[in-house]
Amino acid sequence: MSPALALFVLGSAALVCGTWVATNLRGSADALERRAAAAGELTAHARGDLGPPRQIMSAGVYRFLGGVIGSAGFVLLLVSLVEYAS
């Protein structure tokens, strides 16, 4: 497999997934926040702590990270096109 094809596939996947979370399509960032809260609650219960769980990341942080991943995917996509052209 050529490096241009590998970069194209990885860049396309990162671009789609990152922009999906960054734009909060179908509540993806909200779902990630709820999933992290549920995992934190399970971890606290496993330790024996029955208080409210700490919130580590909000939906805004997930949206920011999705934007970073989407931007990185766009860069990989451009690099793959330059690699393929040369």
Side-chain angles (χ1 to χ4, degrees), residues 14-81:
L15 180 65
V16 168
C17 294
T19 54
W20 189 278
V21 174
T23 57
N24 201 18
L25 289 175
R26 298 185 65 177
S28 58
D30 298 329
L32 286 171
E33 180 184 20
R34 286 191 306 271
R35 182 177 177 168
E41 186 176 353
L42 286 175
T43 303
H45 286 295
R47 284 192 316 253
D49 180 16
L50 299 178
R54 296 182 307 136
Q55 180 181 8
I56 296 177
M57 290 177 43
S58 67
V61 175
Y62 284 114
R63 291 181 73 180
F64 173 75
L65 291 176
V68 170
I69 291 172
S71 300
F74 183 70
V75 169
L76 284 176
L77 197 60
L78 289 178
V79 167
S80 73
L81 294 175

